[in-house]
């Protein structure tokens, strides 16, 4: 029986949760150190078995969230109680604990009652986070915010509007799985540029690097960290790893909305390419594009 894929408690845009059933079948066995330069929400490492994990992301707040939650490994009830106290303080809904939206509001706003009920509390919580930088508040903003995004304006203020979601059973289960994983795993979180991170590592023959960089042609919010030069640097580094006999796997988007990632397409022809059944949808466009082609490229055969 195949092990169930678990979801990260960050519900991160671009997260590989829906693809992990396919991807982990293509990951190698016997991983000593699992290395991930573009961690995001973490569904990839949460669903991979290794002796040790080294996980990086260039986004300070992404790593701050991982460090905050992972610090509660072995203290699940304490973490949940801290969250519940904040939820109660701001008077947010919490469907997991049966703190629900009034029926009259549900009838008036059939599809958006959570956002209407939580808007005032969320706005206050957002202002408090922007003043204090409290990462626990940021986590709740992520849970209750629009599309579970992390977004800051040019002044460095978190500026995402409220979403039509709340703390539900899925959030609870994801937190429990995450803390259980952290309790039993040797994992290090790092906040650096991907190339600086990779250049400082030491590899052995059973190391494995999984890469899920920003997709150059997707128009995602997170592409502000990525450009053509970065794509070329990454491909060149992977060629060097291949020459050194280090195993890697990388996901990327080849075609999307009439665009072609020529750099990655040309580079990928040197390696093993698997088509991924992803129905790729970007944050800015919720329609599925039939011409979108997402791939997984490796330099090893599945063992």
């Amino acid at each position: 029986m195949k092990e169930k894929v678990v979801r990260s408690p960050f519900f991160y845009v671009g997260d590989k949760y829906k693809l992990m059933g396919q991807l982990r079948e293509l990951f190698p066995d016997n991983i000593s150190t699992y290395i991930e330069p573009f961690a995001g929400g973490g569904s990839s490492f949460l669903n991979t078995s290794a002796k040790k994990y080294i996980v990086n992301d260039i986004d300070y707040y992404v790593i701050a969230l991982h460090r905050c939650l992972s610090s509660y490994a072995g203290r699940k009830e304490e973490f949940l109680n801290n969250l519940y106290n904040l939820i109660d303080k701001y008077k947010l809904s919490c469907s997991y604990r049966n703190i629900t939206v009034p029926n009259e509001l549900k009838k008036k706003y059939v599809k958006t009652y959570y956002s209407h009920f939580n808007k005032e509390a969320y706005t206050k919580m957002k202002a408090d986070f922007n003043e204090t930088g409290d990462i626990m508040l940021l986590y709740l903003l992520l849970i209750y915010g629009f599309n579970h995004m992390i977004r800051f304006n040019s002044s460095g203020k978190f500026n995402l509007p409220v979403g039509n979601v709340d703390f539900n059973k899925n959030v609870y289960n994801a937190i429990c799985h995450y803390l259980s994983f952290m309790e039993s795993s040797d994992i290090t979180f790092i906040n650096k540029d991907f190339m600086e991170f990779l250049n400082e590592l030491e590899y052995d023959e059973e190391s494995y690097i999984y890469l899920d960089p920003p997709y150059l042609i997707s128009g995602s919010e997170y592409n502000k960290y990525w450009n053509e030069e970065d794509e070329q640097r990454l491909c060149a580094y992977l060629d060097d790893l291949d020459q050194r006999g280090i195993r890697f796997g990388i996901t990327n988007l080849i075609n999307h909305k009439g665009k072609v990632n020529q750099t990655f397409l040309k580079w990928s022809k040197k390696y093993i390419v698997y088509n991924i059944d992803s129905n790729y949808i970007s944050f800015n466009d919720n329609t599925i594009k039939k011409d979108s082609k997402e791939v997984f490229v490796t330099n090893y055969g599945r063992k």
Side-chain angles (χ1 to χ4, degrees), residues 53-108:
Y53 302 79
I54 305 177
V55 175
N56 176 76
D57 201 281
I58 195 173
D59 191 315
Y60 166 81
Y61 288 106
V62 167
I63 295 302
L65 284 163
H66 279 296
R67 288 172 174 165
C68 176
L69 265 70
S70 64
S71 72
Y72 285 90
R75 298 184 294 139
K76 180 183 73 174
E77 294 306 319
E78 180 183 348
F79 177 73
L80 289 170
N81 286 334
N82 288 343
L83 285 183
Y84 296 155
N85 287 338
L86 288 171
I87 288 170
D88 295 343
K89 173 184 175 181
Y90 289 97
K91 296 181 171 57
L92 294 157
S93 70
C94 183
S95 54
Y96 177 73
R97 297 161 63 219
N98 294 316
I99 302 174
T100 60
V101 176
N103 286 330
E104 58 268 26
L105 204 62
K106 289 183 177 181
K107 292 177 182 178
K108 185 175 182 180

Side-chain angles (χ1 to χ4, degrees), residues 53-217:
Y53 302 79
I54 305 177
V55 175
N56 176 76
D57 201 281
I58 195 173
D59 191 315
Y60 166 81
Y61 288 106
V62 167
I63 295 302
L65 284 163
H66 279 296
R67 288 172 174 165
C68 176
L69 265 70
S70 64
S71 72
Y72 285 90
R75 298 184 294 139
K76 180 183 73 174
E77 294 306 319
E78 180 183 348
F79 177 73
L80 289 170
N81 286 334
N82 288 343
L83 285 183
Y84 296 155
N85 287 338
L86 288 171
I87 288 170
D88 295 343
K89 173 184 175 181
Y90 289 97
K91 296 181 171 57
L92 294 157
S93 70
C94 183
S95 54
Y96 177 73
R97 297 161 63 219
N98 294 316
I99 302 174
T100 60
V101 176
N103 286 330
E104 58 268 26
L105 204 62
K106 289 183 177 181
K107 292 177 182 178
K108 185 175 182 180
Y109 303 103
V110 177
K111 294 183 179 181
T112 59
Y113 52 82
Y114 280 129
S115 61
H116 283 85
F117 180 81
N118 289 317
K119 183 177 181 180
E120 183 177 347
Y122 179 89
T123 300
K124 172 67 168 114
M125 187 166 62
K126 179 165 58 175
D128 288 348
F129 167 74
N130 283 329
E131 181 178 346
T132 67
D134 185 336
I135 298 300
M136 291 288 280
L137 288 181
L138 178 61
Y139 180 59
L140 284 180
L141 289 171
L142 184 69
I143 296 304
Y144 286 83
F146 180 71
N147 270 16
H148 303 297
M149 291 281 289
I150 302 174
R151 191 181 71 189
F152 293 81
N153 63 23
S154 58
S155 300
K157 301 295 185 182
F158 185 91
N159 70 342
L160 205 70
V162 68
N164 190 44
V165 287
D166 83 341
F167 191 106
N168 55 31
K169 186 176 181 180
N170 289 335
V171 176
Y172 174 84
N173 287 338
I175 289 171
C176 291
H177 285 305
Y178 185 93
L179 293 179
S180 177
F181 178 90
M182 292 300 161
E183 192 172 359
S184 61
S185 301
D186 178 359
I187 185 163
T188 302
F189 293 106
I190 297 175
N191 172 220
K192 292 183 178 179
D193 170 76
F194 78 98
M195 192 59 72
E196 182 183 0
F197 166 71
L198 289 170
N199 282 331
E200 292 180 356
L201 296 176
E202 294 183 0
Y203 307 98
D204 61 46
E205 61 182 13
E206 291 190 344
S207 296
Y208 177 63
I209 305 174
Y210 170 62
L211 308 99
D212 183 38
Y215 289 175
L216 190 64
I217 58 173

